[in-house]
Amino acid sequence: MTEVDVPQTRPPEPLSIHIIKASNLKGTKGDNVQITVKVEFGEKQLGESPKVDCVPDTPAEIDYTANLNCTFEDPLVLDEISYKPVVLTVTEVLPKEKKQKEEKTAQLGQCTVDLLPLVKGATRHHYNLVINPLPGSPLETISPESPKPEMEVVISVQESLLEGTQINNGNLMTLTIETLYAPPETWAMTGAQYAYAAALPIPVSADKESPIVFANGALKPSIDKEAPNRQKKWAVPGSAQGNSVYIPESFLPPDNIDDEDGEFKNKEERDHRHVAETEKLRVTWNTERRSYMDAMATKSFQDKIAKCRYWPVEVMRLPQPAAAKGKKDDEGSISYHGVAFVNLAPLLYPGVKRIRGAYKVHAYTDHAMHEKTKRKTGFGEEAGKIAFNILNRNSASPFPKKAGKEGAEKKEKEVKKGASQTIKSDTGSEMEGQAPVNVEGQQYVDAKSYVMLEISLTRPLIPKRPPEELARRVAEYIPPRPLFPKRTDGAQRAVEDFHNQVGSVANLILDEFRDQFGDILKTDDEPQTVEAMESRRQKLIYELNSSGKYFAFKEQLKYAVVKIVREKYLKTSAFEDRQELQTFLSELYVYLIDQMHVALGKYLALEDQAPIPKPLTDSAQLKHFAREAEVNGNYELATKYYQERIARNRNDPSHWFDYGTFCLYINDITKAEECFKECIAIDQKHLQGLLLYGVVCTLSERNEAAETFFEAATCVDPKSILAWTMLGLFYDAVNNEIGAEMAYLEANKLNQAAAVAEAKALREEEIVKDRLARGEHESEDKEVDHDQGGLAPPSVPDIKQPSPPSSDKPPTSARSGKGSISDRRMSASKRSDTYLHPDQSPQLQGSKMKTDSSTSRPGSQYRMGSQRGTPQPAEETEEPPVREPTPVPRSSIYMQVIEWLIEVKAIPFTERALAHELLSPMGGPTSAYHINYARLKLQKKEYKEAENSLDEALQFDYQNPDAWALMGHVKYMTNDVEASRDCYERTISFTIDAAEMHSIYLRLASIYLQEEKFSNAKNTFLMACKRSPSCVSWLGVGIACYRLGELAEAEDALSEANILNNTDPEVWGYLSLVCLKTGRQLEAEQAYKYALKLNLVDYDLLTEIQHVQQEVGFGNPEF
C-alpha cells in the first residue's frame, strides 16, 4: 500500500487566562473576604483558583492561570473562540461556624473575558474588568461613588492563532440583531408567552453554510424605553448572569437615518418608524455574534453577494421551553415565520466594512425566498430546533413558566396549530399555479414590521485603493511636467550662459560707474578730454579692486568659463605639457574676448530695441472668440484661437482643457487625448481634466485606465458630486452594477448635504435679517417712549405673572412656545420669533408661554402621567413639534452632470446621464430634461429630434427663454428664417435672459441684415457688443452702419473689429468700401489688397467692391 500524504495539522496551542488580582470586593460579613475564582468557557469548566484573602484598600493577589487548548483540527475552533466568552465567577468562601462540617460559599459576581483580540492576531491582551454583582450579592450594596470591584486579567498565547495568510485572506464578521419593531398586532404582553428568534446563513467553507441563530429575543412594551447607549449582549453567554451577559465596552451605534443602508428612509416611512419605536411593542435582541471566515469562506461569501445581493434573515416565534422534562413535542415548532431580505451589495463597495439599517420583514415562503435569494428553501426548521435547544440549555431563562396541566395542554395546542398553519402556508400550492401564502407571516407585512441589524467585517471584501496609490498610477500614465524645464549642459548652452554672465557683470560695472561719476557728468558741460577719461577709468579700477568687487565679478564669470572649457573644448583633465597649456590658454583667451564683445553688443543693442507691445486681447476674450467661431461652424478659426491661448501660456492647464473639449466636439479623439494629457501633466489634481481623460479612455475601450482616472478624481475632491456621478456613469458603461450603485449613493448623499447646508445658510440669513429689523424697530420704540416722558405707559416687561412648573425649562426647548398647530406651520424665520428676544426678560417669556399654552389647549392643563398617578403639567403630554421638512435638492445629480457634459461635449456620457435622469425619482421628463436633450441633439445635428423635444419642454413652461432660444437655433440651422426670428425676438423680450445670449443676438441681427432691416440689425449687434464684444459683433455693426449710410460710424466699428481680429477678409473688404465712398484712394487700395490676400470668398461682397471701384475710378491697383 502506498502511503497517502496527510496534510500536517498545527499542534494544539494553549490559550492561557491569567488572573492577576482583584480589588474593591465586599463580603457578606464585611470588607474582609476570602474568595475563589472559577473559570468557565461555554459549558466547560477550565479550573478554579485557590482561596485568597481580600482586605480593603489592598488588591488580592490571585495569580492563577487557566489554560484552554485551541486545537486546529476543527476548522470552526476560531469561530467558537471569537463569539464565546470566558466567564469568571467570584465566589466568597464563608468562615465555618461551630458544628459545621463543610464550608459554605456565596457567589459575589461575574465578569466576562473577550478572546476576540487573539482571533485578530494578537498574542497578548490585558484587561481591567468590572465585576458585575449577582442577584443577592453584597456587591449590590456598594454605593455608586465607591470604587467598583475590578479584576485584572491577561490572556495570551505563545504563537499567534492566525498565520500570515489567514490574517491577510481571512475575515471576521460581526452580526448584530438589534430590535424587531412594529410586530404583528396579535402579539401581546399578556397571556401565553413565547420566545423569539432570528437566523441567517453564514458560509463556513467554500461550499457549506451554517445557520447562526439569535434565540434570546424578548417582547417588550413601549413604556419600557431603551437606553440611549444600549450595550450588546453575548450570543452564547454560557453561565453568565445579570450584567455579565453584556459584552464589555461594546455598544450599539446611534447612527443617523440618513447614514443607514437599509429601507424605511423616506418621509412617510420615517413617521412610521417614529410611531413604531415610541408607541408599539417590540422584540429586542441587542445581541452580537462573531463568525470567523477563512479565505475560502470569504471568497464564497463575496461570490454569493455578487450573484444575488439579497441575504435572508429569518424571524420566527417559538414556544416557551416546557417546565417538565421529556416533553419534546414542541421542539422546533415555529410560527409567525417571516424573512427580511438584506441588501449586502454595499459590502462590495470598495473600502466598505459595515452596513446597518432597518429592513422590512416579509411573509416567508419558499417562492419568495427563491425569487429574492436564488435559494430553494430557508433554514427555518433547522434554526427553530437550534433555538429550542439553546432555550432549553439556558437555565437562567427570562421567561416565566406557567404551571398546571391545563395551561400546558392549551399552549401545546396553540403552538401545534400555529406551526401546522405556517408549514401549510409556506409550502403553498405552487403546483396548482397559485401564489404561495403565509397567513401568519402576512401579519408582518400588514403591520409594516422591520428589523434593525448590523453586519460588519474586519477587512473590506473589496479593498479601496488609497489616494496615494491612485496618484502614483496617474503619474505612471501621465508623468507630471516639471515646473521648470530640465537644464541641458551643451556647448551652445555654455556659451549662452557666458553671454548672460558678461551682460550681468557689465550691468553691475555700469551701475558702479554711475554711482561714482554720474553727478559730475551731469553738471560738467565742458568737452571730455582723454586725460579726464583715463583718470575716471583708473579711479573705477581702483574702487573695484579695493572694495573686492573685481574679485566677485571674476568669481561670477569663473563658472561660465569652466563650462565653456568642458563643453566647448571638451577639456576635463589636467595638461601634462606646459606648451600645450599655453597654446590652449591663448586660444581660449581670444575666443572669450570675441564672445565678450558679442555679448556686450547684444546687451547694448537691447536698449535700442522697441519694447514688444502687449496683446490687445486676454485669455478670456480669446476663449470667447473661439466659442463664437465654434457656434458659427468656423472650426478652423476656433482652432486658431484655442492654439493662440496655448501659445501665450503653455503652463495653464485650462487652456489645454478647453482645446481638448473642442477636439472632443469635432470628434478628434486623438488630439483631445493629447490635450487632456498635457492638462494633467501640468496639474495632476485637475478634476475636470481627470474626468475627461477617463471619458477618452472609455471611448477608446481602455477601461482599466479609465477607472483609475475616475477614482483619482473622487480622491482629488471627495465631496464633488460631479466626480462621483461620473464614476457611476463609467461603471454603468462597463456593466458594474454594484460599483455604479455605490457611486450614485455617494453622489446623492453629497447632493442632499449640499441642500441641507444651503437651507441652513438661508435660514440663518433670515434670522439675522429679522434680528436686525427687530433691533431697528425696538430702537425706534425706545425713542418714542423717551419722548413721552412721565406720561408713558408701563412697559410690558414690568408685567409679572406666575409661571407653570414647565416654564422652568429653557425657552429653546422643543415644546416651548409652540402651542397651536398654526404656530407649527410657520416658516423658519417666523418660527424663530417665538424664542426669547435678547432684550426680553424671562418673566415675560414665561408668561407668554403660559398664555399660548392655555389658549391652545383650554381645560387640559394637567393629566395623570406616571404609573403612580402623579399629576403632571399638560405640556408634557403635548406631541413634539412638527419636524421641519427635509430640504430637497434643486436638481438631481444627473441633471447637474448633464449640464457639464453638454458643456464639454462628452456626447456618449451625456446620453447615459439623460437616460438616468428620465428614470430618476427627482427627474423624469421635465422641462430641464427636454431642454438638455435638445441641446444634445443640436450638438449631434439631429434637428428634428431637437425640435420635438423643445415642443415637449414648452408644454411644461411656455415662458422658458432657454427653450425658445434653442428653438430659434433649430429653425436657424434648418433655414427657417422667419420662425427663427420670431423665436429669437420672443427670447429677447423675456425679463429673464437665456443662458447664452451672444449667439442669439448675432443670429437675430444677421437675419435682420438679410431682411434689410438695417436699423434693427445695428441695434441688435450693438447689444451683442455691449455684453461681449468680438470681431463678428463689431463687423455686424459696421455692415449695418454702412448700409444706413453712416460711414463714420461704420469705419469706427470696422476698426474695432480689425483690432480684435486683423485676419478677417470680410472686415478688410468693408473697410475698402468705406474708403472708396469717402474718397481715400490709398487706404481703399490697401484694404482691398489685404482682403484678397486673406482669401475673401464672399462673391457678392467682391462684386460690390469692384462695382464701387468702377464708379469712383480707383481702388483697384490692377487698372
Side-chain angles (χ1 to χ4, degrees):
M1 291 179 63
T2 59
E3 294 184 1
V4 180
D5 293 336
V6 179
Q8 294 183 354
T9 305
R10 180 177 169 182
E13 179 71 29
L15 192 155
S16 65
I17 300 99
H18 182 204
I19 306 171
I20 301 175
K21 57 187 176 182
S23 58
N24 305 322
L25 290 173
K26 183 178 180 181
T28 307
K29 297 183 179 181
D31 293 337
N32 295 327
V33 58
Q34 190 178 46
I35 62 168
T36 63
V37 180
K38 183 170 61 175
V39 184
E40 296 173 287
F41 179 74
E43 299 178 354
K44 184 189 303 182
Q45 182 171 338
L46 303 180
E48 188 172 358
S49 71
K51 301 174 186 178
V52 178
D53 293 327
C54 185
V55 296
D57 302 328
T58 303
E61 299 292 338
I62 300 175
D63 194 18
Y64 174 74
T65 302
N67 290 323
L68 171 65
N69 284 329
C70 178
T71 59
F72 294 92
E73 296 177 355
D74 186 0
L76 300 180
V77 64
L78 291 175
D79 183 68
E80 185 178 7
I81 292 176
S82 67
Y83 72 85
K84 284 186 179 181
V86 172
V87 182
L88 306 179
T89 306
V90 181
T91 305
E92 178 187 9
V93 180
L94 299 175
K96 286 185 178 181
E97 297 179 356
K98 292 181 179 180
K99 299 181 181 181
Q100 182 179 338
K101 295 182 179 180
E102 296 181 357
E103 293 178 337
K104 291 185 178 181
T105 60
Q107 291 186 346
L108 297 180
Q110 289 180 328
C111 58
T112 53
V113 181
D114 194 353
L115 303 179
L116 184 64
L118 302 183
V119 181
K120 290 183 176 181
T123 57
R124 187 177 187 275
H125 194 79
H126 180 271
Y127 285 109
N128 277 324
L129 301 172
V130 175
I131 301 175
N132 300 298
L134 291 173
S137 167
L139 297 182
E140 291 182 326
T141 62
I142 298 177
S143 62
E145 294 80 12
S146 302
K148 293 183 178 180
E150 289 185 348
M151 185 178 294
E152 188 174 350
V153 181
V154 173
I155 57 173
S156 61
V157 289
Q158 294 294 330
E159 296 181 5
S160 176
L161 298 180
L162 298 180
E163 299 176 351
T165 55
Q166 291 177 307
I167 295 175
N168 296 329
N169 300 328
N171 217 322
L172 184 70
M173 180 189 296
T174 302
L175 306 166
T176 305
I177 301 293
E178 300 179 18
T179 306
L180 171 70
Y181 290 105
E185 300 290 341
T186 55
W187 294 5
M189 296 298 300
T190 58
Q193 296 301 298
Y194 298 90
Y196 302 90
L200 70 160
I202 291 298
V204 294
S205 63
D207 53 357
K208 182 181 178 182
E209 287 183 338
S210 176
I212 288 181
V213 181
F214 298 82
N216 57 346
L219 186 65
K220 294 186 178 181
S222 59
I223 58 173
D224 188 2
K225 302 297 182 184
E226 295 279 3
N229 53 345
R230 293 174 290 169
Q231 197 167 1
K232 296 181 181 180
K233 297 178 182 178
W234 291 104
V236 183
S239 61
Q241 303 177 38
N243 288 336
S244 297
V245 300
Y246 294 100
I247 304 175
E249 303 299 327
S250 181
F251 299 91
L252 294 173
D255 289 344
N256 191 0
I257 294 180
D258 295 327
D259 298 329
E260 293 179 358
D261 301 285
E263 303 161 337
F264 288 89
K265 295 173 68 174
N266 60 33
K267 184 180 183 304
E268 293 77 11
E269 291 169 339
R270 290 189 188 201
D271 295 339
H272 168 67
R273 287 181 63 171
H274 177 73
V275 173
E277 294 170 15
T278 56
E279 301 179 7
K280 294 186 178 181
L281 299 178
R282 67 183 185 278
V283 176
T284 301
W285 285 273
N286 292 344
T287 302
E288 176 180 294
R289 168 68 153 83
R290 292 89 172 252
S291 177
Y292 176 77
M293 298 187 298
D294 59 14
M296 299 300 292
T298 303
K299 185 66 170 60
S300 172
F301 185 55
Q302 179 177 337
D303 293 341
K304 288 178 180 178
I305 297 175
K307 292 178 182 178
C308 183
R309 62 177 59 196
Y310 292 104
W311 204 265
V313 177
E314 300 180 47
V315 181
M316 62 203 75
R317 192 174 77 172
L318 299 170
Q320 186 175 287
K325 293 183 179 180
K327 292 185 177 180
K328 296 188 177 180
D329 296 338
D330 297 340
E331 182 177 347
S333 300
I334 61 174
S335 58
Y336 287 93
H337 194 183
V339 60
F341 299 109
V342 181
N343 183 8
L344 295 187
L347 290 179
L348 296 188
Y349 298 168
V352 173
K353 300 187 294 184
R354 171 181 176 268
I355 63 170
R356 179 179 181 270
Y359 295 92
K360 183 179 181 181
V361 180
H362 303 265
Y364 176 86
T365 61
D366 290 342
H367 175 77
M369 175 69 78
H370 180 70
E371 184 180 7
K372 275 284 189 179
T373 66
K374 310 304 180 190
R375 300 168 184 265
K376 294 182 179 180
T377 184
F379 287 88
E381 294 183 4
E382 182 180 355
K385 293 178 182 179
I386 295 174
F388 201 82
N389 290 334
I390 293 174
L391 294 172
N392 276 327
R393 289 198 304 268
N394 189 3
S395 58
S397 176
F399 304 107
K401 294 181 170 53
K402 282 191 173 183
K405 187 175 180 181
E406 281 187 19
E409 290 178 356
K410 183 178 180 182
K411 184 195 74 172
E412 183 177 355
K413 291 179 180 179
E414 289 179 356
V415 170
K416 288 185 176 180
K417 181 180 178 182
S420 61
Q421 185 179 2
T422 306
I423 293 170
K424 181 179 180 181
S425 60
D426 284 355
T427 55
S429 55
E430 298 183 28
M431 298 299 293
E432 301 175 5
Q434 298 177 2
V437 177
N438 182 347
V439 178
E440 289 180 341
Q442 186 63 28
Q443 296 186 35
Y444 288 114
V445 181
D446 298 339
K448 295 183 179 180
S449 304
Y450 63 93
V451 61
M452 292 291 300
L453 59 88
E454 175 188 350
I455 300 176
S456 63
L457 305 169
T458 54
R459 295 189 308 105
L461 296 176
I462 307 295
K464 184 178 182 180
R465 291 190 285 184
E468 297 79 11
E469 181 185 349
L470 288 169
R472 180 179 56 81
R473 293 291 301 276
V474 169
E476 289 176 0
Y477 282 112
I478 305 175
R481 180 188 293 177
L483 187 60
F484 300 103
K486 292 182 179 180
R487 190 171 181 177
T488 56
D489 293 330
Q492 184 65 29
R493 180 57 185 267
V495 175
E496 291 176 358
D497 288 346
F498 179 73
H499 289 174
N500 294 333
Q501 295 299 331
V502 168
S504 175
V505 171
N507 191 20
L508 294 173
I509 294 174
L510 284 175
D511 291 340
E512 185 69 27
F513 182 84
R514 293 189 186 100
D515 291 341
Q516 290 191 25
F517 309 110
D519 296 337
I520 299 174
L521 293 175
K522 288 179 181 179
T523 57
D524 191 4
D525 296 334
E526 296 180 3
Q528 300 294 325
T529 62
V530 178
E531 293 79 5
M533 293 174 64
E534 180 65 22
S535 174
R536 285 194 294 270
R537 187 182 71 82
Q538 291 179 0
K539 288 181 180 179
L540 178 62
I541 292 175
Y542 174 78
E543 181 64 26
L544 292 177
N545 279 302
S546 61
S547 63
K549 293 181 180 179
Y550 175 78
F551 178 77
F553 294 156
K554 186 172 67 173
E555 290 296 321
Q556 185 174 344
L557 289 171
K558 182 188 291 186
Y559 181 70
V561 173
V562 170
K563 285 181 62 178
I564 287 179
V565 172
R566 291 178 177 176
E567 301 293 337
K568 178 74 176 176
Y569 290 95
L570 305 178
K571 299 293 183 181
T572 57
S573 58
F575 288 91
E576 298 179 358
D577 188 4
R578 187 174 181 80
Q579 184 62 34
E580 184 181 356
L581 174 61
Q582 292 297 328
T583 303
F584 173 73
L585 290 177
S586 300
E587 182 182 351
L588 178 63
Y589 177 76
V590 173
Y591 180 77
L592 292 177
I593 292 297
D594 291 341
Q595 294 300 320
M596 182 190 71
H597 288 299
V598 171
L600 290 175
K602 187 190 302 183
Y603 176 75
L604 296 175
L606 284 175
E607 300 294 332
D608 299 330
Q609 289 183 357
I612 300 174
K614 293 183 179 180
L616 297 174
T617 54
D618 57 13
S619 176
Q621 285 180 299
L622 289 176
K623 182 179 179 180
H624 170 62
F625 298 161
R627 291 290 176 88
E628 182 185 68
E630 188 180 324
V631 171
N632 293 332
N634 193 347
Y635 299 144
E636 184 178 352
L637 181 60
T639 303
K640 170 181 172 295
Y641 283 125
Y642 282 123
Q643 291 176 350
E644 185 174 347
R645 293 181 75 215
I646 294 173
R648 290 189 183 181
N649 187 1
R650 298 182 62 85
N651 292 325
D652 192 335
S654 64
H655 295 175
W656 290 101
F657 177 80
D658 293 334
Y659 188 31
T661 60
F662 169 71
C663 295
L664 203 61
Y665 175 59
I666 61 177
N667 205 27
D668 191 347
I669 306 297
T670 304
K671 189 172 288 185
E673 181 177 355
E674 291 300 322
C675 291
F676 297 135
K677 267 189 176 181
E678 290 291 335
C679 173
I680 299 172
I682 297 170
D683 182 4
Q684 294 272 297
K685 295 185 177 181
H686 194 279
L687 178 66
Q688 298 185 356
L690 291 169
L691 292 176
L692 279 193
Y693 191 80
V695 170
V696 170
C697 292
T698 306
L699 298 178
S700 305
E701 297 183 355
R702 288 177 286 143
N703 295 329
E704 184 179 354
E707 183 177 12
T708 297
F709 284 93
F710 283 122
E711 285 189 13
T714 61
C715 291
V716 167
D717 188 0
K719 295 186 178 181
S720 171
I721 299 174
L722 174 64
W724 285 106
T725 310
M726 287 295 294
L727 179 61
L729 293 174
F730 163 74
Y731 282 139
D732 269 339
V734 296
N735 297 322
N736 186 347
E737 295 181 4
I738 293 178
E741 179 184 298
M742 177 270 299
Y744 293 145
L745 181 64
E746 187 66 28
N748 279 313
K749 284 183 180 178
L750 293 171
N751 196 24
Q752 184 62 42
V756 171
E758 184 180 359
K760 183 179 179 182
L762 290 174
R763 194 160 54 242
E764 291 177 352
E765 184 179 352
E766 289 178 1
I767 292 173
V768 171
K769 289 181 179 179
D770 290 343
R771 287 177 179 172
L772 292 175
R774 287 199 302 268
E776 294 175 0
H777 179 68
E778 288 166 0
S779 62
E780 293 175 1
D781 291 344
K782 289 179 181 178
E783 291 177 1
V784 172
D785 293 343
H786 180 71
D787 292 340
Q788 290 176 348
L791 298 178
S795 60
V796 178
D798 293 334
I799 302 175
K800 297 185 179 180
Q801 297 179 2
S803 311
S806 61
S807 64
D808 294 334
K809 292 184 178 182
T812 56
S813 170
R815 295 184 176 89
S816 61
K818 300 201 176 155
S820 63
I821 298 176
S822 60
D823 290 338
R824 295 173 189 159
R825 294 179 178 175
M826 291 190 301
S827 64
S829 61
K830 292 181 180 178
R831 189 156 45 245
S832 64
D833 293 342
T834 63
Y835 296 156
L836 262 178
H837 295 292
D839 55 348
Q840 284 183 343
S841 65
Q843 289 85 356
L844 173 62
Q845 184 68 14
S847 62
K848 180 178 179 180
M849 290 163 53
K850 181 177 180 182
T851 305
D852 293 343
S853 174
S854 61
T855 311
S856 59
R857 289 182 181 267
S860 60
Q861 289 295 321
Y862 293 91
R863 68 174 179 90
M864 300 301 289
S866 64
Q867 295 177 353
R868 298 177 183 178
T870 306
Q872 296 182 356
E875 279 191 337
E876 296 296 329
T877 65
E878 289 185 7
E879 59 187 35
V882 176
R883 182 174 60 88
E884 292 185 4
T886 304
V888 179
R890 295 185 177 180
S891 60
S892 68
I893 56 173
Y894 307 109
M895 184 56 66
Q896 297 178 41
V897 173
I898 286 167
E899 294 173 355
W900 179 78
L901 287 171
I902 291 177
E903 189 68 22
V904 298
K905 291 89 176 177
I907 292 177
F909 274 71
T910 311
E911 293 174 334
R912 195 170 292 112
L914 282 167
H916 278 286
E917 173 67 15
L918 190 61
L919 300 175
S920 172
M922 290 184 59
T926 60
S927 175
Y929 166 80
H930 287 295
I931 288 174
N932 284 292
Y933 183 78
R935 292 175 65 191
L936 174 66
K937 292 302 179 181
L938 270 174
Q939 287 185 355
K940 297 177 69 174
K941 296 180 173 55
E942 299 174 0
Y943 302 120
K944 185 62 178 176
E945 290 84 349
E947 183 177 355
N948 294 336
S949 182
L950 290 171
D951 288 336
E952 295 287 340
L954 290 172
Q955 290 182 9
F956 284 95
D957 185 2
Y958 200 72
Q959 295 183 356
N960 191 314
D962 290 322
W964 284 109
L966 290 172
M967 183 66 79
H969 293 329
V970 170
K971 299 297 184 181
Y972 185 87
M973 300 304 294
T974 55
N975 296 322
D976 191 347
V977 176
E978 185 175 352
S980 64
R981 184 195 64 222
D982 293 340
C983 293
Y984 289 144
E985 288 177 345
R986 185 190 293 268
T987 304
I988 294 174
S989 65
F990 286 130
T991 56
I992 301 175
D993 288 340
E996 208 283 309
M997 294 295 296
H998 187 72
S999 59
I1000 298 171
Y1001 288 134
L1002 293 184
R1003 288 180 172 177
L1004 177 60
S1006 65
I1007 292 172
Y1008 285 146
L1009 283 180
Q1010 294 176 21
E1011 296 177 348
E1012 298 185 356
K1013 299 177 180 178
F1014 301 121
S1015 180
N1016 292 343
K1018 173 186 173 182
N1019 294 332
T1020 308
F1021 274 124
L1022 283 173
M1023 292 171 68
C1025 292
K1026 184 178 180 181
R1027 291 178 66 95
S1028 46
S1030 65
C1031 175
V1032 176
S1033 60
W1034 281 116
L1035 173 61
V1037 175
I1039 296 173
C1041 291
Y1042 175 77
R1043 299 303 179 192
L1044 292 171
E1046 301 170 354
L1047 299 181
E1049 294 183 8
E1051 185 175 359
D1052 292 341
L1054 293 170
S1055 299
E1056 291 286 343
N1058 205 11
I1059 290 172
L1060 295 175
N1061 182 12
N1062 59 4
T1063 61
D1064 192 324
E1066 197 170 353
V1067 175
W1068 288 109
Y1070 278 101
L1071 277 173
S1072 177
L1073 281 176
V1074 172
C1075 293
L1076 289 173
K1077 291 288 186 179
T1078 54
R1080 290 177 287 173
Q1081 179 178 355
L1082 180 61
E1083 296 177 6
E1085 292 178 356
Q1086 196 74 18
Y1088 180 64
K1089 285 192 292 184
Y1090 274 117
L1092 295 179
K1093 182 179 180 180
L1094 294 171
N1095 193 21
L1096 179 62
V1097 295
D1098 190 341
Y1099 178 77
D1100 295 335
L1101 179 57
L1102 273 174
T1103 303
E1104 183 177 3
I1105 293 173
Q1106 293 171 359
H1107 180 69
V1108 175
Q1109 287 173 347
Q1110 292 175 0
E1111 286 183 355
V1112 299
F1114 60 85
N1116 189 348
E1118 295 179 358
F1119 58 85

